């Protein structure tokens, strides 16, 4: 079968997870990816995950110090469609392959620079580690954990994952622009953009003071239970847990994480576990919202006791019989790979690797009916294809025949119908709205249930920038209106559970008959096949499934719920939509596409999403939740905390000389990255007193000047970083917008939101699209279909549509 990127040549000069994931997915879907080994080599080849992240690519080693090597790099870029690099700002230009250098040779080249904090600004020179970004931006200060009054290491790889997804979306959009204009352009992305995904506080109203910087553990249990700081809620503690989000230990010692934030789902769960009687008890009948603290704790204790009656698998079978029960067993990523639901959906593939033998690896990112991924080639050996590829130089320069005029924005002219609720799938629509797509959010007449949380920043982030219409799809006239919209749409995306689209007559086959080249995306939870396909899923339950929660919680600790899986899934849905749009652009085919919360979250854990005989165990945070290894962790100083990132041999050498401990370089226990991992506790014990000799600000200044990855980790909360630190201001990371929904909070409803996550040199995104209420655009959209005022009023009266009330 045809593949999406067949005939597209990609040159990859990146290091680490983010760039590796981008080009791996491009290769999975047919791109010819030529990986250039970076100057000095890539020490990440020592990481087992490179067997996954580098699969399907060719590897070329160049002599970057010679004129010939740099000429060869230029010639490779002359024949490329896409170049993605993660060099330090300015390094590409030094090597003679900066954008201005190569654009003259290849005007059709799409050139993507992926840096830590951007090409400019006070923090642009910091090293590109997730840990550095998380610590410097305040996310480790805000991270919940078992330790109080200090930062907690952020283990989950969501910074790199989101940055990879945003990059893929931008590259697909740039290919679309190129097909119209015939020209490439420069794109700029950052690891910092990975922090823009919902699950971080970010919003600030005009005139509002930044809230005090409190650690999650600095509130009383009673305040936490009332929801003042939801992130601090210990779901496994009956004193602080809310019955709707509770983590329960079973008879066999496993933990099950639950999330029933809709009343109907909570009621279904209560019935399934045999607690229907609470509706007749005046103490508990308002559950899950129980105003009296003692009563809530008493009910929690009863539920805890109940769950010790059955094993985790016995409870899972009950949930499969009652699919409105949203609960998942806390497990590792390795266990997720073996889960029957994951395997039945085809998410595990077999590849023979020349270094380690037979492997099982995480499969394709999205299921695609017409242009499926074809994955068969293992990761190359470094430099394996050097002679073969260089023999093809010079390569012909791509020539793209323009098909239209210049679009103002990357997705100008693209229309998306979003039939999705809550956070995950709607976040995808918001991302593509920022790229210029017209996203029509189709809501039931009572509105998306997420709107019942009007102060929830995640909801605001996911709903911004859309045309909101209220439409009764269960009515004949409402369905006819929807079909008219489908005829004008490029993409339809929904997150209904299996069977619902067929009942509503908006399944793929029905809509394909209306629009044959439609890109149709099912943003599922567990996929469309298997025993869990009908089950509900929410943020923390998929964090339990994928390994997020166990990984983040620390070795030997009771697992905590994780609140990042919804945005992780949402970024994946947006990537699925863009893969579909690229496939239609390059092959002319519409198709059915399926993404899932399940596979997106395991992709976020792709550093452990593979197996082979003798595979090293995943490095996980210790019980203290300080980090993964002695040179990638938090350290206390004479005043404050720093995060150190000096994993590789050259970085460790620089660190030891800077702190005047050269004897560590002679110690055979620390002679390599692998050795330092083996003896990480010993090395950490030697470094701890070193860092107690200065305060955190001094260490950041001193080691940054020595080019060692080191930042203060407790300077400010994330929201204070966004709105008061000089760096976000310097790069325009936050922009002002306004919303009529917030007139009570600020003059004209003005507030600050994230700017679009990728910069385009020729087709810049529109910054600052705001949040609006349900039904705000119903009349406007229907008038576009030729309906007049009288017809709109009649349909509103007949409950076919919902029109927003005017002030």
């Amino acid at each position: 079968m045809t593949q999406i990127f067949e005939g597209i040549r990609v040159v990859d000069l990146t290091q680490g997870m983010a760039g590796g994931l981008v080009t791996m997915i491009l290769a999975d879907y047919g791109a010819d990816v030529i990986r250039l080994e970076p100057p000095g080599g890539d020490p990440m080849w020592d990481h087992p995950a490179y067997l996954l992240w580098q699969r399907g690519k060719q590897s070329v080693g160049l002599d970057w110090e010679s004129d010939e090597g740099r000429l060869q790099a230029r010639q490779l870029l002359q024949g490329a469609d896409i170049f993605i690099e993660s060099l330090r700002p300015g390094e590409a230009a030094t090597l003679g392959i900066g954008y201005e250098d190569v654009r003259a040779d290849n005007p059709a080249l799409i050139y993507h620079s992926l840096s830590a904090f951007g090409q400019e600004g006070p923090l642009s020179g910091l090293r590109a580690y997730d840990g550095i970004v998380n610590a410097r931006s305040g996310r480790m200060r805000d991270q919940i954990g078992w330790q109080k009054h200090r930062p907690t290491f952020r283990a989950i790889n969501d910074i790199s994952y989101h940055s990879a997804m945003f990059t893929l979306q931008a590259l697909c959009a740039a290919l679309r622009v190129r097909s119209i204009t015939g020209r490439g352009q420069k794109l700029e992305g950052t690891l910092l953009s990975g922090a823009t995904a919902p699950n971080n506080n970010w919003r600030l109203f005009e005139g509002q003071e930044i809230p005090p910087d409190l650690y999650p553990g600095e509130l009383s249990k009673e305040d936490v239970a009332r929801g003042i700081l939801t992130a601090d809620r210990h779901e496994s503690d009956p004193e602080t847990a809310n019955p709707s989000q509770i983590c329960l230990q079973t008879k066999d010692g496993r933990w099950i994480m639950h999330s029933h934030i809709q009343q109907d789902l909570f009621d279904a769960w209560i019935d399934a576990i045999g607690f229907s009687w609470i509706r007749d008890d005046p103490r508990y009948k308002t559950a899950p919202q129980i105003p009296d603290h003692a009563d809530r704790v008493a009910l929690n204790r009863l539920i805890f006791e109940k769950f010790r009656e059955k094993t985790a698998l016995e409870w899972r079978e009950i949930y499969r019989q009652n699919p409105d029960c949203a609960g998942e067993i806390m497990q590792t990523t390795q266990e997720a790979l073996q889960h029957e639901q994951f395997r039945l959906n085809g998410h595990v593939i077999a590849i023979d690797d020349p270094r380690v033998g037979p492997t099982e690896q995480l499969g394709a990112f999205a299921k695609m009916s017409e242009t499926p991924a074809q994955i068969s080639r293992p990761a190359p050996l470094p430099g394996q294809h050097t002679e073969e590829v260089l023999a093809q130089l010079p390569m012909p320069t791509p020539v793209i025949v323009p098909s239209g005029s210049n679009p103002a924005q990357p997705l100008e002219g693209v229309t998306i119908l979003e039939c999705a609720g809550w956070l995950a799938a709607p976040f995808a629509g918001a991302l593509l709205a920022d790229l210029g797509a017209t996203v029509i959010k189709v809501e039931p007449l009572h509105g998306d249930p997420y709107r019942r949380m009007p102060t929830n920043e995640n909801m605001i982030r996911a709903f911004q920038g859309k045309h909101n219409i209220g439409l009764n799809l269960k009515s004949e006239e409402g369905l006819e209106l929807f079909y008219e919209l489908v005829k004008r749409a490029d993409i339809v995306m929904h997150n209904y559970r299996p069977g619902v689209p067929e009942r509503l007559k908006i399944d793929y086959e029905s809509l394909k008959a209306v629009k044959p080249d439609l890109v149709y995306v099912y943003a599922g939870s567990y996929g469309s096949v298997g025993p869990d396909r009908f089950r509900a899923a929410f943020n923390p339950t998929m964090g339990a499934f994928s390994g997020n929660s166990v990984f983040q919680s620390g070795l030997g600790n009771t697992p905590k719920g994780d609140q990042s899986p919804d945005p992780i899934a949402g970024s994946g849905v947006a990537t699925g939509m863009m893969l579909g749009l690229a496939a239609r652009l390059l092959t002319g085919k519409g198709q059915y596409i399926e993404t899932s919360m399940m596979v997106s979250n395991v992709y976020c854990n792709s550093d452990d999403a593979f197996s082979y005989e003798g595979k090293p165990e995943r490095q996980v945070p210790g019980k203290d939740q300080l980090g993964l290894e002695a040179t990638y962790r938090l350290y206390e100083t004479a005043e404050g905390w720093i995060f150190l990132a000096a994993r590789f041999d050259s970085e460790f050498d620089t660190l030891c000389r800077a702190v005047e401990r050269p004897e560590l370089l002679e110690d055979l226990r620390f002679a390599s990255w692998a050795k330092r991992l083996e003896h990480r506790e010993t090395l950490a014990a030697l470094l701890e007193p070193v860092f107690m000799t200065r305060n955190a600000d001094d260490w950041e200044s001193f080691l940054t000047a020595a080019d060692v990855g080191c930042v203060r980790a407790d300077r400010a909360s994330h929201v204070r970083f966004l709105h008061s630190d000089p760096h976000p201001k310097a790069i325009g990371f936050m922009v002002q917008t306004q919303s009529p929904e917030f007139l009570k909070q600020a003059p004209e409803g003005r507030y600050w939101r994230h700017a679009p996550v990728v910069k385009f040199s020729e087709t810049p995104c529109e910054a600052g699209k705001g949040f609006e209420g349900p039904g705000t655009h119903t009349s406007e959209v229907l008038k576009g279909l030729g309906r007049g005022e009288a017809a709109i009023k009649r349909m509103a009266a007949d409950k076919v549509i919902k029109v927003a009330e005017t002030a």
Side-chain angles (χ1 to χ4, degrees):
M1 299 179 78
T2 304
Q3 290 192 275
I4 303 173
F5 300 112
E6 196 171 295
I8 298 293
R9 178 171 289 124
V10 179
V11 176
D12 173 7
L13 184 52
T14 66
Q15 177 177 302
M17 176 178 170
L21 267 187
V22 171
T23 52
M24 182 199 84
I25 292 173
L26 292 173
D28 286 351
Y29 289 96
D32 175 16
V33 178
I34 300 172
R35 172 182 161 79
L36 299 183
E37 299 303 324
D42 187 350
M44 279 296 292
W45 276 109
D46 290 336
H47 196 298
Y50 257 36
L51 300 181
L52 172 68
W53 295 335
Q54 305 303 340
R55 73 184 180 201
K57 306 174 189 178
Q58 301 178 84
S59 174
V60 172
L62 299 178
D63 179 3
W64 291 100
E65 299 298 322
S66 71
D67 291 339
E68 181 184 21
R70 296 185 181 195
L71 174 61
Q72 289 166 338
R74 287 279 293 269
Q75 289 177 323
L76 283 168
L77 295 180
Q78 184 176 334
D81 297 281
I82 294 171
F83 176 46
I84 173 171
E85 56 90 3
S86 63
L87 300 168
R88 309 283 287 278
E91 188 176 359
T94 301
L95 295 173
I97 54 172
Y99 178 61
E100 296 303 326
D101 297 311
V102 302
R103 181 172 61 168
D105 299 333
N106 183 359
L109 180 67
I110 297 167
Y111 186 115
H112 195 298
S113 293
L114 179 60
S115 61
F117 287 88
Q119 301 297 310
E120 301 174 338
L123 305 181
S124 61
L126 294 180
R127 289 193 170 270
Y129 281 104
D130 281 28
I132 292 290
V133 174
N134 280 325
R136 186 60 180 82
S137 69
R139 293 187 80 213
M140 288 192 191
R141 196 188 195 288
D142 293 346
Q143 176 63 47
I144 63 168
W146 290 108
Q147 317 298 323
K148 291 189 175 183
H149 311 299
R150 68 155 173 84
T152 294
F153 175 65
R154 175 71 180 169
I156 298 167
N157 304 308
D158 52 350
I159 288 286
S160 276
Y161 169 84
H162 285 298
S163 300
M165 295 298 107
F166 299 160
T167 299
L168 281 163
Q169 295 152 25
L171 291 174
C172 290
L175 283 170
R176 175 183 180 269
V177 172
R178 189 181 75 159
S179 73
I180 298 170
T181 67
R183 300 188 301 276
Q185 58 182 308
K186 185 177 184 183
L187 314 181
E188 292 184 11
T190 66
L191 293 182
L192 181 62
S193 70
T196 68
N199 75 324
N200 304 296
N201 293 332
W202 56 268
R203 184 182 56 187
L204 193 72
F205 291 109
E206 182 178 290
Q208 177 188 1
E209 291 187 7
I210 298 174
D213 293 344
L214 293 176
Y215 284 110
E218 290 183 345
L219 293 178
S220 69
K221 290 183 177 181
E222 289 75 17
D223 286 340
V224 173
R226 287 198 296 270
I228 293 179
L229 188 61
T230 305
D232 188 46
R233 185 174 292 130
H234 297 323
E235 305 95 342
S236 57
D237 182 351
E239 290 286 334
T240 57
N242 185 297
S244 66
Q245 293 207 29
I246 193 166
C247 190
L248 300 164
Q249 193 171 31
T250 61
K251 183 178 180 180
D252 53 347
R254 300 297 297 265
W255 292 85
I256 300 181
M257 183 66 216
H258 298 84
S259 182
H260 299 103
I261 54 178
Q262 290 182 204
Q263 185 68 48
D264 58 333
L265 299 184
F266 181 80
D267 291 342
W269 179 60
I270 286 298
D271 290 340
I273 67 173
F275 266 50
S276 303
W277 58 267
I278 69 172
R279 297 192 185 97
D280 300 320
D281 191 312
R283 296 172 297 171
Y284 310 137
K285 65 180 182 180
T286 61
Q289 303 306 322
I290 302 176
D292 184 82
H293 173 71
D295 289 343
R296 178 182 53 78
V297 172
L299 177 59
N300 283 346
R301 292 192 184 282
L302 290 171
I303 297 173
F304 270 72
E305 183 179 348
K306 179 69 176 180
F307 264 72
R308 295 190 184 98
E309 296 177 2
K310 300 181 186 297
T311 67
L313 292 181
E314 287 172 336
W315 283 117
R316 188 178 74 177
E317 287 307 310
I318 290 173
Y319 292 174
R320 285 177 171 174
Q321 298 302 314
N322 299 272
D324 282 346
C325 295
E328 266 300 339
I329 301 169
M330 291 283 194
Q331 63 183 8
T332 66
T333 300
Q334 286 292 305
E335 290 174 310
L337 287 179
Q338 300 303 319
H339 196 287
E340 61 179 315
Q341 183 68 21
F342 200 74
R343 298 178 84 88
L344 284 170
N345 276 272
H347 296 321
V348 179
I349 62 170
I351 292 182
D352 285 334
D353 186 273
R355 284 150 291 207
V356 300
T359 71
E360 285 197 333
Q361 298 185 9
L362 179 60
F365 186 79
K367 293 183 179 180
M368 307 187 74
S369 63
E370 299 298 323
T371 57
Q374 297 178 28
I375 308 169
S376 60
R377 291 188 298 156
L381 298 172
Q384 177 180 340
H385 303 94
T386 302
E387 291 186 12
E388 175 186 343
V389 172
L390 295 185
Q392 301 172 41
L393 297 179
M395 295 177 176
T397 301
V399 177
I400 309 299
V401 178
S403 63
S405 57
N406 295 341
Q409 298 172 43
L411 294 185
E412 181 181 79
V414 172
T415 298
I416 300 169
L417 300 183
E418 176 191 298
C419 304
W422 290 102
L423 174 55
F427 177 48
L431 288 170
L432 301 193
D434 279 354
L435 288 175
T438 298
V439 180
I440 300 175
K441 182 173 177 60
V442 181
E443 301 182 58
L445 301 192
H446 54 74
D448 189 316
Y450 206 7
R451 289 190 185 273
R452 297 168 197 164
M453 303 179 183
T455 62
N456 188 295
E457 293 182 28
N458 291 344
M459 185 271 289
I460 305 303
R461 177 75 173 98
F463 286 20
Q464 291 174 143
K466 302 178 185 179
H467 295 68
N468 305 315
I469 69 170
L471 188 59
N472 181 4
L473 293 175
K474 296 179 181 179
S475 70
E476 184 176 341
E477 191 171 11
L479 186 60
E480 290 176 359
L481 290 170
F482 185 73
Y483 284 173
E484 288 188 52
L485 291 172
V486 170
K487 290 178 183 177
R488 304 182 181 201
D490 299 280
I491 301 171
V492 170
M493 180 268 289
H494 77 84
N495 66 351
Y496 294 116
R497 285 190 255 179
V500 175
E502 287 77 9
R503 291 198 297 273
L504 292 175
K505 300 180 182 178
I506 62 167
D507 56 289
Y508 176 57
E509 293 302 325
S510 297
L511 299 190
K512 181 181 177 182
V514 175
K515 172 88 170 182
D517 65 347
L518 181 69
V519 176
Y520 183 99
V521 179
Y522 169 40
S525 296
Y526 290 95
S528 58
V529 299
D532 294 317
R533 66 189 182 279
F534 296 114
R535 293 187 55 210
F538 286 91
N539 239 340
T541 62
M542 204 50 68
F545 180 98
S546 63
N548 279 11
S549 296
V550 170
F551 184 40
Q552 178 61 50
S553 296
L555 192 66
N557 290 326
T558 299
K560 280 179 172 288
D562 176 56
Q563 297 295 327
S564 62
D566 268 344
I568 288 169
S571 287
V573 174
T575 297
M577 286 195 281
M578 290 307 298
L579 289 174
L581 195 65
R584 194 179 73 169
L585 170 71
L586 298 171
T587 71
K589 296 179 178 180
Q591 59 187 305
Y592 173 89
I593 299 170
E594 189 174 305
T595 67
S596 71
M597 291 184 73
M598 186 171 61
V599 76
S600 293
N601 277 274
V602 174
Y603 256 81
C604 188
N605 289 275
S606 58
D607 63 305
D608 195 40
F610 54 95
S611 63
Y612 56 85
E613 186 175 351
K615 174 187 173 294
E617 289 189 8
R618 187 184 200 182
Q619 294 300 318
V620 300
K623 194 174 183 65
D624 54 14
Q625 296 182 283
L626 290 173
L628 299 181
E629 54 192 89
T631 53
Y632 196 72
R633 56 158 276 186
L634 292 157
Y635 282 96
E636 188 175 12
T637 71
E639 186 277 316
W641 288 79
I642 59 168
F643 183 80
L644 174 70
R647 308 176 90 173
F648 307 139
D649 291 350
S650 62
E651 296 170 337
F652 182 65
D653 183 284
T654 304
L655 169 68
C656 292
R657 298 184 190 284
V659 301
E660 299 181 352
R661 295 298 303 271
E663 73 277 7
L664 297 178
L665 298 173
E666 305 300 323
D667 194 318
L668 296 180
R669 294 173 298 176
F670 315 135
S672 67
W673 186 12
K675 287 288 187 181
R676 292 190 291 276
L677 281 173
E678 181 183 353
H679 300 284
R680 55 188 175 276
E681 293 181 4
T682 301
L683 180 57
L686 292 170
L687 291 176
E688 283 172 350
V690 172
F691 290 118
M692 290 299 294
T693 61
R694 301 186 185 205
N695 66 40
D697 287 333
D698 287 347
W699 278 121
E700 179 180 282
S701 298
F702 174 68
L703 288 179
T704 298
D707 200 22
V708 174
C710 176
V711 294
R712 182 161 190 162
D714 63 348
R715 179 178 284 109
S717 65
H718 184 64
V719 71
R720 188 174 299 278
F721 168 79
L722 292 177
H723 298 289
S724 67
D725 192 279
H727 185 80
K729 295 179 183 297
I731 64 173
F733 199 70
M734 305 298 288
V735 295
Q736 194 174 67
T737 187
Q738 63 188 61
S739 169
E741 302 297 311
F742 301 140
L743 295 176
K744 295 181 180 179
Q745 286 85 355
E748 298 182 18
R750 288 191 290 270
Y751 69 100
W752 291 86
R753 56 151 289 178
H754 302 101
V757 292
V758 175
K759 295 180 179 180
F760 291 70
S761 65
E762 304 302 315
T763 53
C765 302
E766 178 185 346
K769 292 183 176 181
F771 169 80
E772 297 189 74
T776 303
H777 304 92
T778 302
S779 293
E780 174 189 339
V781 171
L782 294 187
K783 286 177 181 177
L785 296 179
R787 304 307 195 271
E789 288 286 355
I792 291 171
K793 288 181 179 179
R794 177 192 59 79
M795 287 188 287
D798 291 344
K799 300 190 182 306
V800 174
I801 62 171
K802 174 73 174 180
V803 178
E805 297 179 3
T806 56

